[in-house]
Amino acid sequence: MLDDGARREAFDFTSHFREDFYACLTRRGDTLFELADAMLCENGPVTSPVDLTLLAEHRRGHGALYDALNSGNIDEAGLRHALAVLPQPKAADNRLVLAVDVTHWLRPDAPCCPERLFCHVYGRSGRSSDQFVPGWPYSFVAALETGRTSWCQLLDALRLGPDDDVAEVTAAQVRRVVTGLIEGGQWEPEDPDILIVFDAGYDAPRMAYLLAGLPVEVLGRMRTDRVMRRPTPSLKEYAQTYPQGGRPPKHGKEFRFAKPETWGEPDAETVRVTDRYGTATAMAWDRLHPKLTTRSAWIDHTGELPVIEGTQIRLSVDHLPGGQDPLPVWLWSSKTGMTGADVDLRWQVFLRRFDLEHTFRMIKQTLGWTRPKLRTPQAADRWTWIVIAAHTQLRLLREAAADLRRPWEKPVAPSRLTPARVRRGFRNLRPHLHCPARAPKPSTPGPGRPVGSKNRHPATRHDVGKTTRRPESITERNRMKANKG
């Protein structure tokens, strides 16, 4: 039996969110709102948006659906605020943990779609090699839960454009999300810092520099060929090491990931026995930093380059769940002075980042995020926010949904239902929720283009890839400026 108090609370939170969501639909709002409901009431995976117009929950025709996606409007700032004020999941030590990752909406056969980039994919179409496929990359920010789960709360989505610097745009996105959570009462000054988890595609020290001033801690995976530097030695230490004198160095000795002889003794070391990975050994070295140069991302930096210190963690396990050979994982945290318990918490939180992959699979394969063949990126953004709003309603209704399992599925507790199982019962829960969408008005469709006439306005073809090339060195930057002049 489901707890009645939990059901009422779930219905209240979901109804309030639906009202806020509807208020953010400033144009074609009724159609867009019913589109989200139809997405959740579909019996199987969403294969095409137009198929949703055949459901009873969508009371308008297919023409209204296309018009809403192409000409509608969503107040993204208001919807971000509505997501930020919801009850957020917390990690094991009762802190907010945000995961940031990029996933792609591939459009290789759409030359008429503007602002496409080459997206890095793995083993597509049965191939084992990496490929670059045209599409729209989206950066998602989500709040993670503790423990193994397929749930997380999507808080923001941002499409990366041809002119964007990924690190700067992502940092601005994370800053906006963190500011919204603080304004929404999700973080208090006495709470621990919000933990931001990045994968290897981001430069963790640079992200920590770009997010300075916020109550956050950056945790990211680093490549295995990186070279870090130890803390700058004091004048006394330098005089003892080099009695002949000389100019004191700005950086300490090298710490090469690929050369164990440069590691030295770790400042903290822990050994834990896990069910999925066997014995997990974590070693941490305090106050390591990268040696920055005036190249690439730091080419426009004015003044002295910063020294961004943090804790370097090396995690090694006995085996992986899939049977592959385990490789060590290198993590960098912007927090210094960690204890053994702090180190264990960081690598366990990093493993929770992969829960976001379950959400990506859910919104792509079940909610049909990448199924529509939309022409403009603005329409893709509207569809993306509708998918986020639909997924959020599933998370809010977890405590109210019953387990409508298939005969071959194992029964689980109501608190352990997956998003797909909660979606099966949404049609039964929808009558208990507030529905602000208005009834459709009778209308007559327009004549459209005459039968047999040709389209005399062919769509424009657009190139794929970045439109802004950034210099890698000062010499290259000066040469580009001279050519422009």
Side-chain angles (χ1 to χ4, degrees), residues 241-259:
T241 307
Y242 299 94
Q244 68 275 17
R247 181 180 179 181
K250 286 185 59 178
H251 307 278
K253 295 182 179 180
E254 288 187 346
F255 184 98
R256 293 181 175 269
F257 292 179
K259 293 185 177 181

Side-chain angles (χ1 to χ4, degrees), residues 267-457:
D267 296 304
E269 185 174 4
T270 63
V271 178
R272 295 179 65 91
V273 179
T274 64
D275 296 335
R276 292 173 58 84
Y277 305 100
T279 302
T281 304
M283 297 184 293
W285 293 266
D286 196 22
R287 297 185 60 194
L288 296 187
H289 65 274
K291 181 181 178 181
L292 304 179
T293 58
T294 313
R295 294 178 59 88
S296 188
W298 301 94
I299 193 172
D300 294 327
H301 183 81
T302 58
E304 188 176 359
L305 291 171
V307 176
I308 310 172
E309 292 186 340
T311 301
Q312 193 68 54
I313 303 173
R314 182 183 186 270
L315 174 65
S316 59
V317 298
D318 289 341
H319 56 80
L320 297 178
Q324 299 90 346
D325 294 332
L327 297 177
V329 177
W330 290 92
L331 305 176
W332 185 89
S333 172
S334 60
K335 180 180 175 60
T336 57
M338 288 189 186
T339 63
D342 296 332
V343 173
D344 283 340
L345 177 65
R346 266 63 183 180
W347 68 259
Q348 291 171 2
V349 165
F350 178 79
L351 295 181
R352 296 277 62 80
R353 191 206 68 82
F354 295 99
D355 295 341
L356 188 57
E357 303 296 335
H358 297 287
T359 302
F360 288 159
R361 189 181 301 110
M362 167 68 183
I363 64 177
K364 287 183 178 181
Q365 298 181 1
T366 304
L367 299 183
W369 173 50
T370 59
R371 299 294 296 183
K373 306 299 182 182
L374 301 176
R375 172 71 59 85
T376 64
Q378 292 75 22
D381 294 344
R382 297 184 192 102
W383 176 258
T384 301
W385 282 110
I386 291 173
V387 171
I388 292 177
H391 183 269
T392 301
Q393 295 182 56
L394 293 180
R395 191 185 76 87
L396 296 176
L397 288 173
R398 289 170 61 182
E399 301 297 333
D403 186 12
L404 304 180
R405 65 184 183 91
R406 303 290 189 260
W408 54 86
E409 294 176 342
K410 296 181 179 179
V412 295
S415 59
R416 299 295 299 173
L417 292 179
T418 62
R421 288 201 185 187
V422 175
R423 179 173 174 263
R424 293 174 190 170
F426 183 82
R427 176 168 286 173
N428 301 328
L429 302 174
R430 184 174 176 269
H432 302 280
L433 302 174
H434 179 59
C435 184
R438 297 165 296 185
K441 299 179 180 179
S443 61
T444 303
R449 195 170 65 203
V451 179
S453 62
K454 295 183 179 180
N455 182 12
R456 302 185 184 277
H457 302 281

Side-chain angles (χ1 to χ4, degrees), residues 211-283:
L211 295 175
L214 292 176
V216 300
E217 174 190 342
V218 172
L219 176 66
R221 182 167 63 171
M222 307 191 77
R223 301 191 313 269
T224 57
D225 58 349
R226 289 291 298 266
V227 179
M228 304 294 282
R229 290 300 185 107
R230 297 187 181 275
T232 305
S234 63
L235 295 179
K236 182 178 180 180
E237 294 173 346
Y238 178 74
Q240 295 176 353
T241 307
Y242 299 94
Q244 68 275 17
R247 181 180 179 181
K250 286 185 59 178
H251 307 278
K253 295 182 179 180
E254 288 187 346
F255 184 98
R256 293 181 175 269
F257 292 179
K259 293 185 177 181
E261 60 270 16
T262 64
W263 297 352
E265 291 296 326
D267 296 304
E269 185 174 4
T270 63
V271 178
R272 295 179 65 91
V273 179
T274 64
D275 296 335
R276 292 173 58 84
Y277 305 100
T279 302
T281 304
M283 297 184 293

